[in-house]
Amino acid sequence: MMALLRARPRAFVLCVAIFVFLLISLGFFSAPATRRPLGTPDIGSGTSGGSSSSSPGGDPPPDSDIAIPRLIWQIFFAPPGIETIEKDAIYSSEWVTMAPGYTYTMLGTSEADAFVAANFGDKPDIAATYHALSNPGLKSDFLRYLLLYTRGGTYSDTDTKPVVPLERWLPQDKRRDAKLLVAIEYDEAQDPHPADFKYPVQFCQWTIAAAPKHIVFERMVQRAMTGLHDIASAQGTTLDKADIKDFDVLNTTGPVAWTEVVFETLQEYDETIRTYDDLARFKSPRYFSDIVVLPLSAFRADYLDDWGYSWRKGRTALVRHYFKGGWRKVKIPN
């Protein structure tokens, strides 16, 4: 009897403790919560991180309020003969960290094949051209245009990393109308590099952001297909057996071809653009209808270390490129 009496207080205390715990738990889980990506930066604030919001309401603009989807694309096709990859040659984690709330996708060969099959099954000329390409750089070039045309978002090579959160690449009031974001890769007037560039101003295509279905990608895909098949025809063979030189890559799918297509489109948008010199020397973003052209420093955070030109001090850079790609047949000495 005494043992039973001693047990009751302990049981009562245990029941009370459980009841109190349940009340606290219910109160916690039923409280309203504001959900937003952690670390969402303030657009245009000039800071590089923190938990401040990108709009007065505390959330980034909804996808319906921006033209360029919150998608990040990267492609990895291993260069021929490469069995191991340098640890610092791929910066996927930095892209994920710098873009909370974005969907990140890395495409290898099987994922890329599935994407082409799903989206271009009714366009056999495009699918056949893609599958005929063996050079990893050539294939990656062609695929990035297909990805951005079909889905939109931000594409960047695997040997790049963002140095500013993606939500701050453009002011919020520009994001509704911006449907193509490109940057200058080379400007002879600012950066007289000894390399042989075809034009005094060249556009970068290692990082591009776009809304789906932009006309520049439709034109670029057609331009690439025509150029590639012309090379094969001149060699009297089919595209899968053609000998594609480094020069051909640059001029069919690479930055030379990309520069020509973007420049021609800009000329249609703005009649004041007559020569490449009209796109030289600028230091802040320029807006041409739905195309935003970023200055030379935007996607070239690598420089100052490489060439050492003093004008780069104080620049605003968004992306750093490490130039670890292996598409060239002939290696350029460092």
Side-chain angles (χ1 to χ4, degrees):
M1 184 70 177
M2 291 299 296
L4 180 59
L5 289 174
R6 286 195 297 269
R8 284 179 177 173
R10 288 196 295 270
F12 177 77
V13 170
L14 179 60
C15 290
V16 170
I18 292 173
F19 179 73
V20 171
F21 173 77
L22 289 174
L23 286 176
I24 295 172
S25 300
L26 288 171
F28 175 79
F29 288 114
S30 63
T34 300
R35 301 185 62 183
R36 63 183 177 86
L38 296 177
T40 302
D42 186 10
I43 295 176
S45 66
T47 60
S48 59
S51 59
S52 58
S53 66
S54 59
S55 68
D59 293 319
D63 289 347
S64 59
D65 288 347
I66 60 175
I68 299 175
R70 290 187 175 91
L71 304 173
I72 299 171
W73 304 99
Q74 293 196 299
I75 300 167
F76 182 75
F77 296 144
I82 300 297
E83 296 182 0
T84 60
I85 304 300
E86 295 180 47
K87 183 179 180 181
D88 61 349
I90 297 179
Y91 299 93
S92 302
S93 61
E94 283 84 350
W95 284 98
V96 172
T97 300
M98 285 288 192
Y102 284 59
T103 299
Y104 173 91
T105 304
M106 169 78 81
L107 287 88
T109 300
S110 59
E111 294 85 1
D113 288 351
F115 168 80
V116 172
N119 292 279
F120 296 96
D122 60 341
K123 296 179 176 62
D125 54 338
I126 293 177
T129 299
Y130 169 79
H131 290 298
L133 303 177
S134 58
N135 180 296
L138 197 68
K139 199 162 192 168
S140 172
D141 283 346
F142 195 63
L143 180 61
R144 76 192 62 180
Y145 306 133
L146 299 181
L147 282 168
L148 292 175
Y149 176 73
T150 304
R151 299 288 304 279
T154 300
Y155 168 84
S156 199
D157 285 354
T158 56
D159 58 348
T160 67
K161 70 178 181 181
V163 294
V164 169
L166 274 66
E167 285 292 304
R168 288 178 41 222
W169 283 17
L170 285 176
Q172 183 176 328
D173 62 349
K174 300 291 186 182
R175 297 186 68 191
R176 182 187 294 272
D177 299 322
K179 295 184 179 179
L180 177 64
L181 186 64
V182 294
I184 302 295
E185 174 187 8
Y186 172 70
D187 179 356
E188 185 178 64
Q190 300 185 68
D191 210 351
H193 188 257
D196 184 19
F197 287 89
K198 183 174 182 179
Y199 298 108
V201 171
Q202 180 166 289
F203 288 102
C204 157
Q205 45 93 255
W206 64 67
T207 304
I208 309 167
K213 309 300 182 186
H214 198 284
I215 190 172
V216 76
F217 297 107
E218 182 178 348
R219 292 174 173 178
M220 187 63 212
V221 169
Q222 291 303 317
R223 159 67 187 268
M225 290 174 59
T226 299
L228 290 167
H229 289 285
D230 282 350
I231 292 170
S233 178
Q235 295 178 9
T237 187
T238 54
L239 181 56
D240 60 319
K241 297 177 181 177
D243 181 18
I244 306 293
K245 308 292 187 184
D246 292 347
F247 174 86
D248 298 324
V249 176
L250 294 171
N251 286 274
T252 56
T253 63
V256 172
W258 173 245
T259 294
E260 292 175 353
V261 170
V262 172
F263 181 71
E264 291 164 5
T265 305
L266 287 172
Q267 284 185 305
E268 294 179 9
Y269 279 31
D270 190 330
E271 62 182 12
T272 66
I273 300 177
R274 298 183 177 88
T275 70
Y276 283 95
D277 192 58
D278 294 322
L279 294 170
R281 302 177 185 86
F282 71 96
K283 303 294 180 65
S284 58
R286 295 178 65 182
Y287 300 89
F288 303 93
S289 184
D290 64 2
I291 299 179
V292 183
V293 179
L294 299 176
L296 180 62
S297 61
F299 293 162
R300 306 209 62 163
D302 51 289
Y303 289 127
L304 187 58
D305 0 325
D306 287 359
W307 299 342
Y309 288 98
S310 60
W311 67 265
R312 296 190 181 91
K313 293 179 181 178
R315 70 203 185 285
T316 301
L318 305 178
V319 173
R320 176 163 186 164
H321 191 196
Y322 287 88
F323 298 99
K324 294 180 179 290
W327 64 270
R328 291 181 184 269
K329 293 182 180 180
V330 178
K331 295 298 180 183
I332 297 177
N334 294 325

